[in-house]
Amino acid sequence: QMQLVESGGGLVQAGGSLRLSCAASGRAFSTYAMGWFRQAPGKEREFVATIRWSGGSTYYADSVKGRFTISRDNAKNTVYLQMNSLKPEDTAVYYCAAGHVARIRVEDDYDYWGQGTQVTVSS
């Protein structure tokens, strides 16, 4: 089992920045791909970003490319999502996920999920 706990969400004005963290405990963190997904009110959960176990490969949704950066510190069992130039449409609950994924944008490929952290961007 792996437990994931997100933190760093909050309320920010458009154009601002936030950094989300996801602390993992349990199984071998460094062997898992780590991803971020989000769910806005009334919408389905969607892929945001993923980083492979080595940190050498990162993937982003087109909507966040160039504004968000995913990174990981395997020594600290933590993955981060640096969010810059935030927009009101980024408002959502952000979820951290872990898995030995083949399809990085597909939720079903992720085995473990956190409880989520709320990000609200005001205009």
Side-chain angles (χ1 to χ4, degrees):
Q1 288 292 330
M2 176 182 284
Q3 292 77 43
L4 303 174
V5 179
E6 303 96 335
S7 61
L11 173 65
V12 64
Q13 288 188 333
S17 299
L18 282 175
R19 188 176 81 155
L20 305 183
S21 299
C22 173
S25 61
R27 296 176 68 108
F29 171 81
S30 63
T31 68
Y32 284 80
M34 300 297 298
W36 288 95
F37 288 73
R38 67 185 181 186
Q39 187 168 22
K43 295 187 177 181
E44 294 186 351
R45 191 156 56 183
E46 63 176 5
F47 167 77
V48 175
T50 287
I51 185 166
R52 289 291 187 189
W53 69 270
S54 65
S57 297
T58 56
Y59 310 86
Y60 297 93
D62 288 344
S63 59
V64 306
K65 200 172 294 183
R67 300 188 297 123
F68 290 12
T69 302
I70 189 170
S71 62
R72 67 189 295 162
D73 185 336
N74 287 341
K76 295 183 178 180
N77 283 8
T78 302
V79 62
Y80 306 97
L81 186 68
Q82 178 66 44
M83 306 186 294
N84 299 329
S85 302
L86 283 161
K87 304 175 181 180
E89 50 263 44
D90 294 319
T91 295
V93 176
Y94 283 71
Y95 297 89
C96 176
H100 294 129
V101 302
R103 302 168 296 175
I104 57 168
R105 292 174 171 80
V106 177
E107 289 186 40
D108 289 347
D109 275 23
Y110 293 80
D111 300 308
Y112 304 103
W113 292 84
Q115 293 300 307
T117 185
Q118 177 71 47
V119 171
T120 303
V121 184
S122 63
S123 56

